[in-house]
Amino acid sequence: MRLFPWGKPARRDVRRHPRPQRIHIDLNPLRPRVARPQGPVLLVYGFGALIIIGALLLMLPFSTATGQPAPFLTALFTATSAVCVTGLTVVNMGTYWSTFGQIVVLLLVQAGGLGFMSMSTVLLLLVGRRITLGERMALREALGEYAVGGIVRLLRRIALTSFIIEAVGAAILYIQFSKDFPGMEGVWKAIFHSVSAFNNAGFDILSGNTSFLVYNSNLLVLGTLASLIVLGGISYTVIADFIKTRSLGRLSLDSRMVVTVNIFLWLLGAVVILLAEFTNESTLASLPPGLKLVNAMFQSVVPRTAGFASVDIGKMRDFTLFFTCGLMFIGGASGSTAGGIKVNTMGVLLSAVWSAMRARSHVEAFGREIPEDVMSRALAVVVLSLGLVFSTTLLLTLTESHTFIQVLFEAFSAFGTVGLSTGITPDLSLLGRLIIIGMMFIGRLGPLTLALSLSQREEARHIRFAQERIKIG
């Protein structure tokens, strides 16, 4: 009986029964569960698969100009160099490979430049498959982004921007190549070198082994190639950030670090190369003063990391070669087509040194504090990379009969995926070629894979050990 009949009836406490859960019964409990590769492992598998497929295509008889199947090691070396956008080659690209073989190399360069994760996602979008959250997170780490949302739209913009820049570069290069090569040959050479430059690969299909020495006085060709290399080496995120803010002072810390370190290294490299090679009759001495500066600037840009050359690298002085090794080791920006330890990493280390010299307890740069975990990753990448180059150089000194500076230069070029060489690549022994193949693969994936691994293992630790100081210096 209700006290107030006109009132609302009391609500009964009805407990809803939960929906029955689906029970999955494994009919074969002894069947091993195979874990799907994620993140860094997927990158390694993807690049490895691309290299194998490329090597098999290059071994086809119609891939070579002579119609004879290419040796497996030659095809494997070329495919690895193309996928890792290095540019080192044991044969003449312009005369050894047919048009089909050159197309295969170009496609491998494009896939390697955009990155396996980016290219695979673009292909999946084309066939209409949905990108999972795990794949989006892996893509976020590979591209150096922080947010998961909008990562697919970002990939679309990256691919579209890359193709537009390459098309514009090819159109400008065709202005000169149309005068030097007949018909479609000029078109093909313009497209090939534009894609090779933007992806920081350094492959060229010009006649002979002179690379771009014949164009060392052509400002149109050198300027276009240098611009493509710079745009490909600073990453899409920096370009987009600059377009959005239109001011160097309003860029993000990462973009400001990339731009500042790049400008410093370009200017430093140009000054050092100009002074070191100014009186070298085999490189810059025979050129007019203006062209000396132009070629010094060009040779300061290409080690970051595209292996074109407007002077004879093999005739440079040892001082210049050793300095160029440092430029190749640093490379380009994170998330770009370039290799090396990345200018971001170098910027973090320089900031740490500057903060330590000023007795600061935290690493600071441009009015911002850099987290300790970022500093730890940068230090790990540099130390392990130096150890890798040191080990490779040591092995090459045992297997090759060339001078130490030539071997050292080759090791740094392979690690930084640069492609510059003093001319010893075709003369490498069987074991030496295998070492360089492994170095190119590790150099392309090593720093990125290590950074991804460290970021995925990152966890907040609430229990810490007691601190104790160690003497430094």
Side-chain angles (χ1 to χ4, degrees):
M1 181 177 180
R2 289 181 292 175
L3 182 61
F4 303 102
W6 60 85
K8 205 172 182 181
R11 185 177 179 180
R12 295 182 180 180
D13 185 14
V14 180
R15 296 183 178 179
R16 296 180 178 180
H17 295 283
R19 294 180 180 179
Q21 298 181 354
R22 296 180 180 179
I23 301 177
H24 174 72
I25 301 177
D26 194 351
L27 300 178
N28 186 8
L30 299 179
R31 180 179 57 193
R33 295 182 178 180
V34 180
R36 294 176 61 187
Q38 297 291 337
V41 180
L42 185 60
L43 283 173
V44 175
Y45 288 170
F47 272 88
L50 279 176
I51 290 172
I52 296 300
I53 293 174
L56 294 177
L57 290 175
L58 291 176
M59 289 180 64
L60 297 175
F62 45 83
S63 293
T64 62
T66 59
Q68 300 295 325
F72 174 72
L73 189 59
T74 300
L76 180 64
F77 193 100
T78 305
T80 305
S81 184
V83 173
C84 298
V85 289
T86 303
L88 290 175
T89 179
V90 294
V91 295
N92 188 298
M93 291 294 300
T95 58
Y96 186 85
W97 302 109
S98 65
T99 303
F100 176 81
Q102 293 174 3
I103 292 175
V104 171
V105 171
L106 188 67
L107 293 177
L108 294 177
V109 167
Q110 187 71 81
L114 288 179
F116 173 75
M117 294 295 291
S118 302
M119 285 297 294
S120 62
T121 303
V122 172
L123 293 177
L124 290 175
L125 290 173
L126 292 178
V127 299
R129 196 192 118 178
R130 189 177 182 85
I131 310 302
T132 65
L133 178 60
E135 291 169 338
R136 291 171 187 265
M137 294 180 67
L139 286 167
R140 178 200 66 179
E141 295 293 342
L143 294 173
E145 293 296 311
Y146 299 100
V148 178
I151 198 70
V152 176
R153 290 194 301 271
L154 175 62
L155 283 174
R156 289 197 187 101
R157 291 196 295 266
I158 291 175
L160 181 61
T161 303
S162 300
F163 296 146
I164 291 176
I165 293 175
E166 290 169 353
V168 173
I172 298 175
L173 289 176
Y174 179 70
I175 297 175
Q176 179 61 44
F177 289 160
S178 62
K179 304 175 183 178
D180 302 334
F181 305 98
M184 292 302 298
E185 186 179 356
V187 176
W188 171 238
K189 281 182 166 51
I191 295 174
F192 187 96
H193 292 106
S194 178
V195 174
S196 181
F198 179 75
N199 289 282
N200 281 226
F203 284 108
D204 72 87
I205 53 175
L206 300 176
S207 301
N209 295 312
T210 57
S211 188
F212 282 88
L213 268 67
V214 293
Y215 292 105
N216 62 0
S217 59
N218 192 309
L219 298 182
L220 177 66
V221 174
L222 295 185
T224 303
L225 293 176
S227 300
L228 290 170
I229 294 169
V230 169
L231 292 174
I234 63 175
S235 80
Y236 169 82
T237 54
V238 176
I239 297 174
D241 193 11
F242 189 80
I243 294 175
K244 180 180 179 180
T245 60
R246 297 183 180 180
S247 173
L248 183 61
R250 298 173 60 186
L251 294 175
S252 65
L253 177 59
D254 183 75
S255 298
R256 292 180 70 180
M257 187 77 74
V258 170
V259 173
T260 304
V261 177
N262 264 319
I263 292 176
F264 171 75
L265 292 176
W266 289 331
L267 296 177
L268 177 64
V271 172
V272 171
I273 293 174
L274 179 64
L275 296 178
E277 299 295 320
F278 195 86
T279 58
N280 189 347
E281 293 292 340
S282 301
T283 55
L284 298 181
S286 59
L287 297 175
L291 289 180
K292 287 181 181 179
L293 179 60
V294 169
N295 283 269
M297 284 292 297
F298 185 78
Q299 289 306 138
S300 176
V301 170
V302 292
R304 317 286 314 287
T305 54
F308 295 130
S310 61
V311 297
D312 194 340
I313 301 297
K315 296 180 180 179
M316 279 184 168
R317 289 170 174 154
D318 290 350
F319 173 84
T320 311
L321 293 176
F322 188 74
F323 176 79
T324 305
C325 288
L327 297 179
M328 294 190 295
F329 182 73
I330 297 173
S334 298
S336 71
T337 59
I341 63 170
K342 306 298 186 295
V343 293
N344 316 60
T345 305
M346 190 64 187
V348 170
L349 292 182
L350 291 176
S351 300
V353 172
W354 180 246
S355 298
M357 293 175 62
R358 300 176 66 187
R360 299 289 178 86
S361 58
H362 301 285
V363 180
E364 301 172 355
F366 300 106
R368 295 289 187 270
E369 181 180 325
I370 299 177
E372 293 184 3
D373 64 298
V374 175
M375 180 63 208
S376 301
R377 292 183 202 175
L379 186 61
V381 168
V382 171
V383 171
L384 292 177
S385 299
L386 283 174
L388 179 63
V389 174
F390 175 82
S391 303
T392 302
T393 305
L394 187 63
L395 291 175
L396 289 176
T397 54
L398 297 176
T399 61
E400 310 304 317
S401 58
H402 304 287
T403 63
F404 176 76
I405 189 62
Q406 290 177 321
V407 169
L408 181 70
F409 193 89
E410 198 81 3
F412 271 104
S413 181
F415 169 78
T417 66
V418 180
L420 291 175
S421 177
T422 57
I424 69 171
T425 309
D427 301 327
L428 292 174
S429 63
L430 174 62
L431 188 56
R433 294 186 181 189
L434 292 176
I435 293 173
I436 293 297
I437 288 175
M439 188 62 165
M440 290 188 293
F441 187 77
I442 297 175
R444 178 61 176 162
L445 292 178
L448 174 61
T449 304
L450 176 62
L452 291 176
S453 300
L454 293 176
S455 64
Q456 290 184 357
R457 295 178 185 177
E458 182 182 344
E459 57 181 7
R461 296 191 60 179
H462 303 287
I463 301 176
R464 301 175 63 177
F465 293 106
Q467 291 185 353
E468 186 172 349
R469 289 189 171 275
I470 297 177
K471 299 181 181 67
I472 300 295

